[in-house]
C-alpha cells in the first residue's frame, strides 16, 4: 500500500490566535499530532504534501471574497506554516512537497492528482483545517478519484465545532 500524508492549510492565518481566519485553540491543539505524523511519514519514506491556500490581495473575482475576510495572501506571513510544522517544513524542504491551491479542495486547480499517481499512491491520509471546508472538499474529490481516505480525527479541526462533527460523521 503506497500512502501519502496531506497537510492542508495548517498556516498562521488559519491556526494562530491572531490569524486572519483562525480556528484558534482547536487548530493549535493539532500541532504535535501533525508534526509527529509528518515525521513518521518522512521516516517511512512516504510522501508528505503540504497544500496551502494562496490568495491575491484585492482579487475581485474570487468567490471567497463574499464569504471570508482576506487570508493567506501571497507574500504575507499568514501563509507560513504554523509553529513547529513550519520548522519541520524548513528542515525537510527537499522532501516535503509544497503545493498552492486557490480553492477549498487540494485537488482543485493543482497537480496533486498527477503527483500522487506518479508515485503510485492509493491511500491518502488527511490532516489540517478546516474539517468542514477544505478537508471535506479534498476528501470528496479524493473519494471521487478512487483514493482510499483516512481522515485523522486527532489531526483536523475547525472554527465551527458543529461543522467539524458533521463533516467527520460523513466518513
Ligand atoms: Zn481561502
Amino acid at each position: 500500500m503506497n500512502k501519502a500524508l496531506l497537510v492542508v492549510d495548517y498556516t498562521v492565518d488559519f491556526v494562530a490566535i491572531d490569524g486572519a481566519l483562525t480556528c484558534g485553540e482547536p487548530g493549535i491543539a493539532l500541532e504535535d499530532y501533525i508534526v509527529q505524523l509528518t515525521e513518521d511519514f518522512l521516516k517511512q519514506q512516504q510522501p508528505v504534501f503540504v497544500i496551502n491556500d494562496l490568495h491575491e490581495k484585492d482579487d475581485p473575482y474570487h468567490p471567497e471574497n463574499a464569504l471570508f475576510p482576506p487570508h493567506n495572501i501571497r507574500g504575507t506571513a499568514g501563509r507560513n506554516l504554523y509553529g513547529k510544522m513550519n520548522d519541520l517544513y524548513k528542515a525537510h524542504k527537499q522532501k516535503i512537497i509544497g503545493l498552492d491551491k486557490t480553492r477549498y479542495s487540494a485537488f482543485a486547480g493543482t497537480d496533486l492528482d498527477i503527483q500522487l499517481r506518479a508515485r503510485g499512491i492509493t491511500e491518502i491520509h488527511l490532516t489540517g483545517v478546516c474539517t468542514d471546508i477544505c478537508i471535506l472538499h479534498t476528501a470528496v474529490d479524493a473519494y471521487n478519484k478512487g483514493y482510499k481516505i483516512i481522515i485523522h480525527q486527532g489531526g483536523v479541526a475547525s472554527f465551527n465545532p458543529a461543522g467539524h462533527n458533521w463533516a467527520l460523521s460523513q466518513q
Side-chain angles (χ1 to χ4, degrees), residues 22-93:
T22 189
C23 294
E25 288 297 343
I28 291 168
L30 310 177
E31 186 179 14
D32 288 340
Y33 186 94
I34 293 178
V35 164
Q36 183 63 56
L37 200 58
T38 302
E39 284 176 342
D40 291 347
F41 269 73
L42 290 173
K43 232 174 263 164
Q44 294 167 38
Q45 312 273 7
Q46 301 278 11
V48 176
F49 290 82
V50 163
I51 307 140
N52 295 330
D53 250 9
L54 171 63
H55 293 303
E56 304 298 339
K57 194 174 183 289
D58 302 324
D59 176 359
Y61 302 109
H62 204 289
E64 284 180 30
N65 288 349
L67 303 169
F68 301 115
H71 58 278
N72 275 44
I73 303 293
R74 184 191 294 275
T76 64
R79 285 198 78 230
N80 292 338
L81 288 168
Y82 176 75
K84 294 176 206 160
M85 197 55 204
N86 198 36
D87 301 333
L88 190 61
Y89 180 61
K90 281 189 193 155
H92 295 279
K93 251 189 172 162

Side-chain angles (χ1 to χ4, degrees), residues 49 107 110-120 145 147:
F49 290 82
F107 288 95
T110 73
D111 67 353
L112 176 61
D113 188 45
I114 291 170
Q115 298 246 23
L116 292 170
R117 288 183 194 282
R119 291 167 175 78
K145 290 175 190 301
Y147 292 101

